[in-house]
Structures are given as C-alpha cells and as structure tokens.
Amino acid sequence: MEQVTVPAGFQSALSESFGGAGDPEFRLSEISLYGDAEKLTLSMHVSVTVHSGGREKWILRLDISGSDADAARADAPAEAYRWLTLMVQANVIEWWHTRKTAPNIPEIPRRIG
C-alpha cells in the first residue's frame, strides 16, 4: 500500500479532541493514510481518557472507500474534511462501545498503552 499525504485541513480537523455525554474524551494522533484512488486506510493512534481519569492508547485503522475516499483527497473542499471527520469520530466512538463484543472494524485494534 502506498502512503498518501493527509491534507492539512483533514489532519487539523482529526486532531481536535472529541467525545460527549456518556463517552470518554478521544484524541487522535499519528494520523496517516495509505492506499490508492479507490480505497484508503486511515491509521491513527487513539488516546482515550475515561471519566474516572484512566487513560488508554490504541492503534486503530479504518477503511475509507468510494465518495468517502474522495473526501480525504488534497483537492477536497473544507466541508468534505469536516464531514469525513465526523464519520471517523462516529466510527471511533462506535468501536469504543463495541470493542469488547463485536467491533465493526476491519483490522483488530491494538492497545499500546
């Protein structure tokens, strides 16, 4: 798989912490893209801070294809980056809540801390 440059606007949007009522705080780092014109894999470190103050760090990979992959391209408009960021965040939150039962992630995430 070939490494693809993560557009600055997409990188910036993904780097903001997120979470909500009932969810821990998530922060993405070491974000990279791999793939080709049809399918991309987004690789990232996910730092999770739970409400009790505990922290975990994971490596997580998400597959991005079709129009979603187009939204991660260098020439995509800022709105596409914001939309794709929301999709990534939703997938991270879903993974977190299902990680012990049946996560809907193509590659098993790996805990690194």
Side-chain angles (χ1 to χ4, degrees):
M1 238 188 284
E2 184 177 319
Q3 186 162 6
V4 178
T5 301
V6 180
F10 187 41
Q11 176 85 29
S12 176
L14 286 173
S15 297
E16 295 178 13
S17 63
F18 61 97
D23 291 324
E25 178 182 326
F26 299 96
R27 182 171 295 276
L28 308 180
S29 62
E30 298 190 38
I31 300 162
S32 55
L33 283 171
Y34 298 90
D36 54 35
E38 296 176 14
K39 180 180 168 190
L40 294 171
T41 298
L42 178 66
S43 178
M44 64 202 127
H45 286 195
V46 180
S47 296
V48 183
T49 304
V50 294
H51 297 296
S52 64
R55 291 196 167 115
E56 296 182 14
K57 191 166 192 175
W58 295 77
I59 294 177
L60 186 64
R61 290 182 177 87
L62 299 173
D63 287 338
I64 303 171
S65 59
S67 61
D68 293 341
D70 293 340
R73 304 289 177 202
D75 58 350
E79 295 81 28
Y81 297 149
R82 286 192 294 272
W83 175 82
L84 186 54
T85 297
L86 287 173
M87 296 303 296
V88 169
Q89 291 172 344
N91 276 279
V92 169
I93 291 169
E94 179 183 8
W95 157 76
W96 178 257
H97 288 290
T98 63
R99 72 191 183 286
K100 294 180 181 175
T101 56
N104 187 21
I105 300 288
E107 185 177 323
I108 297 173
R110 188 168 42 110
R111 186 170 177 180
I112 56 173

